Amino acid sequence: PLNATVKKSQFVSSSASVEQCPKPVLPEFAVIGRSNVGKSSLLNSLTANSKLAKVSKMPGERVGALPCLGGN
């Protein structure tokens, strides 16, 4: 649905390569962009969880995939 709401989210792991990613059991999406443009802030906002993804003012601070579990 276009107005779906994430009521619960959980950090699973951080991965530097595809081989390290957990096996997919739910639909996945990717947020891709340049350094320091707000990708982590967007993820935190969409999940209403300000501590899900680390936010930093230093460009390039987060590197790698951040698999999270979203649910109901």
Side-chain angles (χ1 to χ4, degrees):
L2 291 176
N3 62 350
T5 303
V6 176
K7 295 179 183 175
K8 183 179 177 186
S9 57
Q10 174 186 352
F11 175 78
V12 176
S13 68
S14 180
S15 307
S17 69
V18 174
E19 292 78 23
Q20 295 174 332
C21 291
K23 299 290 182 207
V25 293
L26 298 171
E28 297 180 1
F29 68 94
V31 178
I32 302 167
R34 293 178 170 263
S35 294
N36 216 32
V37 296
K39 297 179 297 293
S40 293
S41 295
L42 174 65
L43 182 59
N44 288 343
S45 179
L46 290 173
T47 60
N49 184 347
S50 64
K51 297 185 180 179
L52 185 62
K54 179 181 174 186
V55 177
S56 173
K57 291 184 180 193
M58 175 80 87
E61 190 77 14
R62 265 227 35 79
V63 177
L66 181 68
C68 303
L69 177 61
N72 307 347

